[in-house]
Amino acid sequence: MTNEDKDDILSHTVSVLVDNESGVLARVVGLFSGRGYNIDSLTVAEVNHVDNLSKITIVTSGTRQVIEQIKAQLDRLVPVRRVMDLTIDGPSVEREMALVKVAGEGEHRVEALRIADIFRARVVDSTNASFVFEVFGKAGKVDAFIKLMEPLGLVDVSRTGVVAISRGAQGL
Amino acid sequence: MSTKQMTGSEIIIQALKDQGVDVMFGLPGGVLLPLYDALFKQNGLHHTLVKHEQAAVHAAEGYARSTGKVGTVLVTSGPGATNTVTGLVDAMMDSVPLVCLTGQVPSSLIGNDAFQEADITGITRGITKHNYLVKDVNDLGRVLHEAYYVARTGRPGPVLVDIPKDVLLATGSYKAPGKNTVVEHRSYKPQVKGDTAAIKQAIELIKNAKRPIFYGGGGIVNSGDAACTLFNQLVKMTGIPCSLTLMGLGAFPGSDDQFLGMMGMHGTYEANMAMHDCDVMINIGARFDDRVTGRLDAFSPHSKKIHVDIDPSSINKNIVVDVPIIGDVAHVLEDMIKYWKADQAQIDTKALDKWWKQINQWRKKDSLKYTKSNKIIKPQYALERIRDLALETGKDTFYTTEVGQHQMWAAQHLCFEKPKRWMTSGGLGTMGYGFPAAMGVQTAHPDALVCCIAGDGSFQMNLQEIATLMDYRLPVKCFILNNQFLGMVRQWQEMFHGERYSESHIEGQPDFVKLAEAYGALGLRATSPGELDDVIRKAFESDLPTIVDIRVDAEENVFPMIPSGAAHNEIILGPEYTETSEDGGSLESGVLV
């Protein structure tokens, strides 16, 4: 750890494999709020029904020392099996999905469809006065799409939060 | 192992016995009645009935820290459970192994705001090492064995198991643990063996050190007697000076010449100056707590730091270290000594001699010095007399403390030769800890001399336990260093808040002698130095629980002191040093730079 970058705020994506037992998500979330860490995004779902394992993907930010603390503190929780820092432990891919509702008529509708096409967003619901788009990609792409929809009648957004996985043959 | 069918209550009793539990501290209530009924029908598992659940936890802490075993607490749902919260945080901060069993309302009522319902697993999630809500009686045995395993292994801590009433009544299967009590846990696998390369790197640093110091903490004591023996061996064979944290006292003999005294906010001058000026710091089982480090960016600025800790989250948390070694102290020290010998490593003795000369210069300050008086009892003097007269009894002596000035004086002036003889609330600073903790210590060591050093403020936070001491004839000696103030608050107000003593004077104080007598205990009082020895002797001779009201100098402050947020070399010495220091220089406002 060098002194020059010790105060830089970094964004890290951390993957946490946990035993899917009662209260495990509260433990993880409580750790973040209790110790003053940031959660920029959090997703959780069961990934192995037989062994009863869930994976939690957390996008967090902090100085390098804080990020190291977050990982060590997560690892200390009894039901946590593994903690992996997808930002520095090797290359990884991350994706997010959003459902974006846009209401409008005339030119705005046409423009919304045109932009959706550029972003490869699909229409999953349509009325005479609205669309619901589904859009996938890195969080930044989803952000960009939502921003472009704002002047075209954006009324509601639901986002999954980031899921991520390491590249290559190794599992968590 | 055979599997047996039993009720939940019977499973708990059997599991506790199989875990080697001989005593638990608790207080019954509605939902626990089936369990207390099962307790009534058995022998071998003792229950100490406390008067308040917080005291049960502190008693279990005293039991655990003086024996190295896991302490056990049993309380009912709702208020019984919530009263344990302070004790659980205390145990968490000081790494004390506990299992706290709480009753819960029947499963079918959970979430319905039932009578005496509290979401105790939710409340204690962040303040326990782990906690469980057992919903199926068939899980109960496994969870209890796992709870004891998690509590005592790795960095020890409190584990809470919440058990609904219907689970106590239901019948299920119980499997005894094998002889090997190591539980194969799915995810919890603490690392005990240190990394060899890191240990060798540490040896290189120590070999080439010019001004090394050992910084030993409570982790040595927690690791066990073997760790303390190995630590002594390493300190002795290297000849390096050794300081200990508040929690580490006893890990190295207090009377040894290589011991510099406690470090930190109220540590000795020589320990803190050596911590500041060292070039290699060897931290064994301590956590760079703010009461030790003072101002972080001025903490030991010229040293390479080695840090041995079983908890990876302690590494680089407050202080970035050069050689982290994750592992159990005993395992790491064993390897360190082994490689040191194999390497035929030699310390730079010439540099070390020079370092000792410097340290001995600092030592000459005699920083724990205080002005003696033959009119008024100085608290330091009272502690010296308690210490010396306890030694005269020839008994194995255990000390607990409450929190505040008296605690710091006790840490400075009592002398600990062996580990597990000193029980104090370090991390959380819990007033009300010491008296019930002494109860737990005396329960574990019926023939020992158990002294609680208290302040008049702290003592009143759990004084109801005099009744419990009477019930079980536990002859704890509680010495109240009575200055009629919340003394440490008063000291800070004097030093940092313009002598405005806001709400720190204790007006309505009971007559502690009569109070003791009201419970049937022995009450004694000393108001002048001349009476002190007699009173202490009387206390030691009595087989009753004894409360001694020692009227001490109310104005006395704890020195040395590193003010919060200051550096080690900005340590303030007492008024004895303000006029002329021993090397002749004048010291303005008692601040040494």
Side-chain angles (χ1 to χ4, degrees):
Chain A
M1 205 176 295
T2 59
N3 274 329
E4 291 86 70
D5 59 0
K6 76 176 174 40
D7 293 328
D8 289 354
I9 302 292
L10 310 165
S11 176
H12 279 235
T13 304
V14 181
S15 202
V16 191
L17 193 65
V18 298
D19 286 320
N20 187 15
E21 60 182 43
S22 162
V24 66
L25 183 61
R27 263 176 232 287
V28 170
V29 173
L31 173 72
F32 275 73
S33 63
R35 292 186 182 266
Y37 305 144
N38 299 312
I39 299 179
D40 298 324
S41 164
L42 181 141
T43 64
V44 54
E46 189 176 71
V47 290
N48 181 333
H49 186 67
V50 180
D51 292 336
N52 211 15
L53 297 174
S54 285
K55 195 191 269 183
I56 302 175
T57 309
I58 305 165
V59 182
T60 182
S61 53
T63 62
R64 194 183 295 196
Q65 198 176 351
V66 167
I67 301 277
E68 288 306 315
Q69 258 301 296
I70 290 172
K71 289 186 280 181
Q73 292 289 354
L74 282 169
D75 216 15
R76 202 155 81 118
L77 298 177
V78 169
V80 168
R81 293 213 178 185
R82 255 212 86 185
V83 178
M84 189 175 182
D85 187 336
L86 294 170
T87 307
I88 55 168
D89 291 353
S92 63
V93 284
E94 61 172 65
R95 285 294 177 269
E96 188 174 7
M97 190 193 100
L99 296 170
V100 180
K101 187 179 282 186
V102 179
E105 285 169 11
E107 267 310 299
H108 279 175
R109 273 174 77 79
V110 180
E111 181 64 6
L113 277 175
R114 213 173 57 79
I115 291 171
D117 193 39
I118 296 168
F119 279 76
R120 298 202 179 94
R122 288 199 312 138
V123 176
V124 292
D125 176 68
S126 175
T127 68
N128 286 336
S130 69
F131 290 120
V132 174
F133 297 108
E134 64 169 23
V135 59
F136 292 91
K138 290 184 102 173
K141 176 187 165 183
V142 175
D143 289 343
F145 181 75
I146 293 166
K147 195 152 178 26
L148 286 170
M149 288 298 135
E150 266 172 24
L152 304 176
L154 179 75
V155 290
D156 201 3
V157 180
S158 288
R159 297 176 73 147
T160 57
V162 172
V163 289
I165 201 162
S166 63
R167 289 180 188 269
Q170 289 291 320
L172 182 61
Chain B
M1 276 300 145
S2 62
T3 306
K4 275 193 198 157
Q5 292 293 307
M6 302 183 210
T7 67
S9 297
E10 289 163 351
I11 287 174
I12 292 172
I13 302 240
Q14 192 55 49
L16 263 51
K17 285 182 175 172
D18 288 344
Q19 284 295 332
V21 177
D22 50 5
V23 64
M24 50 187 173
F25 302 89
L27 205 153
V31 299
L32 278 187
L33 287 171
L35 179 53
Y36 274 88
D37 200 38
L39 197 60
F40 190 81
K41 295 177 192 156
Q42 58 84 47
N43 285 314
L45 190 55
H46 298 280
H47 178 275
T48 295
L49 173 63
V50 297
K51 303 299 166 279
H52 187 286
E53 290 89 349
Q54 185 191 350
V57 188
H58 295 322
E61 285 187 278
Y63 174 90
R65 287 183 55 186
S66 64
T67 59
K69 296 197 279 188
V70 180
T72 304
V73 178
L74 177 59
V75 296
T76 192
S77 66
T82 57
N83 276 344
T84 65
V85 166
T86 303
L88 292 172
V89 189
D90 192 274
M92 186 73 173
M93 296 278 272
D94 285 345
S95 313
V96 185
L98 292 185
V99 169
C100 178
L101 307 173
T102 55
Q104 184 54 277
V105 300
S107 306
S108 57
L109 292 181
I110 291 180
N112 287 11
D113 298 326
F115 176 66
Q116 292 194 328
E117 180 185 357
D119 171 18
I120 198 62
T121 49
I123 291 167
T124 60
R125 206 169 272 137
I127 58 163
T128 49
K129 185 169 173 186
H130 196 48
N131 63 20
Y132 303 84
L133 169 61
V134 183
K135 287 181 173 165
D136 181 347
V137 67
N138 294 302
D139 289 336
L140 191 52
R142 175 188 61 78
V143 166
L144 288 169
H145 295 310
E146 207 175 286
Y148 278 88
Y149 174 66
V150 170
R152 73 168 181 268
T153 55
R155 179 176 176 179
V159 175
L160 181 139
V161 184
D162 197 24
I163 308 155
K165 186 171 189 175
D166 54 313
V167 175
L168 294 176
L169 292 164
T171 301
S173 58
Y174 173 73
K175 200 171 146 214
K179 277 219 175 76
N180 181 4
T181 50
V182 176
V183 176
E184 241 333 289
H185 195 276
R186 289 156 302 169
S187 53
Y188 174 76
K189 293 179 173 75
Q191 182 180 341
V192 292
K193 199 98 175 123
D195 177 50
T196 307
I199 293 173
K200 289 187 168 163
Q201 215 184 331
I203 290 175
E204 276 310 302
L205 273 182
I206 299 170
K207 252 170 37 182
N208 296 310
K210 308 279 180 229
R211 301 183 307 279
I213 185 168
F214 277 106
Y215 158 21
I220 307 174
V221 182
N222 267 341
S223 176
D225 292 346
C228 296
T229 309
L230 290 163
F231 182 65
N232 287 334
Q233 200 184 330
L234 185 63
V235 175
K236 286 315 234 182
M237 67 194 260
T238 55
I240 294 173
C242 168
S243 177
L244 295 170
T245 66
L246 179 71
M247 300 306 289
L249 294 176
F252 187 76
S255 61
D256 194 288
D257 230 24
Q258 271 174 264
F259 183 55
L260 307 188
M262 182 176 74
M263 69 184 78
M265 184 172 267
H266 294 295
T268 63
Y269 183 68
E270 55 269 33
N272 285 321
M273 292 303 279
M275 287 286 280
H276 185 269
D277 283 6
C278 66
D279 71 340
V280 172
M281 177 181 285
I282 311 140
N283 173 339
I284 313 275
R287 60 185 177 93
F288 294 107
D289 176 71
D290 58 81
R291 277 328 193 231
V292 161
T293 62
R295 200 171 92 218
L296 281 177
D297 59 5
F299 175 70
S300 194
H302 312 297
S303 63
K304 294 271 183 201
K305 296 171 187 77
I306 299 161
H307 186 186
V308 180
D309 204 305
I310 200 161
D311 177 4
S313 76
S314 283
I315 307 280
N316 293 339
K317 182 170 67 181
N318 301 327
I319 294 285
V320 177
V321 296
D322 301 279
V323 184
I325 303 171
I326 296 164
D328 167 58
V329 169
H331 284 82
V332 173
L333 289 181
E334 192 181 5
D335 285 350
M336 209 179 254
I337 291 168
K338 192 172 81 189
Y339 296 134
W340 181 275
K341 284 182 175 163
D343 194 30
Q344 296 185 317
Q346 292 290 333
I347 197 100
D348 183 344
T349 43
K350 229 173 124 189
L352 193 62
D353 281 349
K354 213 174 136 202
W355 179 226
W356 269 113
K357 273 199 187 104
Q358 169 68 73
I359 288 170
N360 287 329
Q361 266 322 102
W362 289 325
R363 250 185 189 165
K364 278 191 195 149
K365 283 255 188 281
D366 190 15
S367 61
L368 301 181
K369 194 169 64 181
Y370 61 94
T371 310
K372 293 205 165 73
S373 160
N374 51 18
K375 289 199 187 76
I376 189 159
I377 302 175
K378 292 286 182 174
Q380 299 96 322
Y381 176 72
L383 283 159
E384 286 173 1
R385 295 316 300 153
I386 293 166
R387 177 194 68 199
D388 293 347
L389 294 173
L391 211 58
E392 274 180 19
T393 65
K395 285 187 178 175
D396 197 3
T397 307
F398 295 74
Y399 290 97
T400 72
T401 74
E402 300 287 347
V403 169
Q405 285 185 314
H406 65 273
Q407 177 191 29
M408 293 297 113
W409 284 315
Q412 292 173 339
H413 295 274
L414 299 174
C415 182
F416 300 96
E417 299 293 323
K418 289 192 219 161
K420 297 192 294 202
R421 303 300 191 276
W422 166 245
M423 272 57 60
T424 194
S425 171
L428 192 65
T430 310
M431 291 170 69
Y433 164 88
F435 191 52
M439 176 166 89
V441 175
Q442 189 83 75
T443 304
H445 309 273
D447 300 323
L449 177 60
V450 180
C451 302
C452 169
I453 309 297
D456 48 305
S458 291
F459 176 69
Q460 296 190 64
M461 287 204 183
N462 264 320
L463 63 77
Q464 76 286 346
E465 298 307 320
I466 306 174
T468 313
L469 295 180
M470 288 304 296
D471 283 348
Y472 298 91
R473 288 284 183 256
L474 297 169
V476 166
K477 311 298 162 200
C478 182
F479 296 96
I480 304 173
L481 302 184
N482 186 352
N483 57 9
Q484 297 181 51
F485 269 104
L486 299 168
M488 192 59 92
V489 173
R490 195 206 63 83
Q491 175 169 345
W492 283 49
Q493 287 172 335
E494 179 186 332
M495 295 175 74
F496 312 119
H497 296 275
E499 300 182 32
R500 290 179 296 279
Y501 299 121
S502 176
E503 305 295 323
S504 56
H505 181 60
I506 301 175
E507 306 269 352
Q509 201 170 50
D511 179 332
F512 290 115
V513 174
K514 281 190 185 156
L515 181 78
E517 285 165 1
Y519 283 97
L522 178 63
L524 298 167
R525 178 173 292 122
T527 52
S528 71
E531 298 169 348
L532 201 52
D533 279 21
D534 258 4
V535 164
I536 296 170
R537 281 207 182 88
K538 255 186 215 149
F540 286 168
E541 278 159 16
S542 169
D543 51 10
L544 280 175
T546 307
I547 311 298
V548 187
D549 181 15
I550 304 178
R551 296 302 178 98
V552 297
D553 185 352
E555 308 269 289
E556 192 67 22
N557 286 334
V558 184
F559 289 111
M561 178 176 190
I562 302 172
S564 190
H568 278 182
N569 57 353
E570 294 170 322
I571 187 167
I572 301 174
L573 297 181
E576 292 78 14
Y577 299 84
T578 47
E579 287 168 17
T580 48
S581 74
E582 287 179 347
D583 46 19
S586 112
L587 297 164
E588 279 178 25
S589 67
V591 180
L592 281 169
V593 182

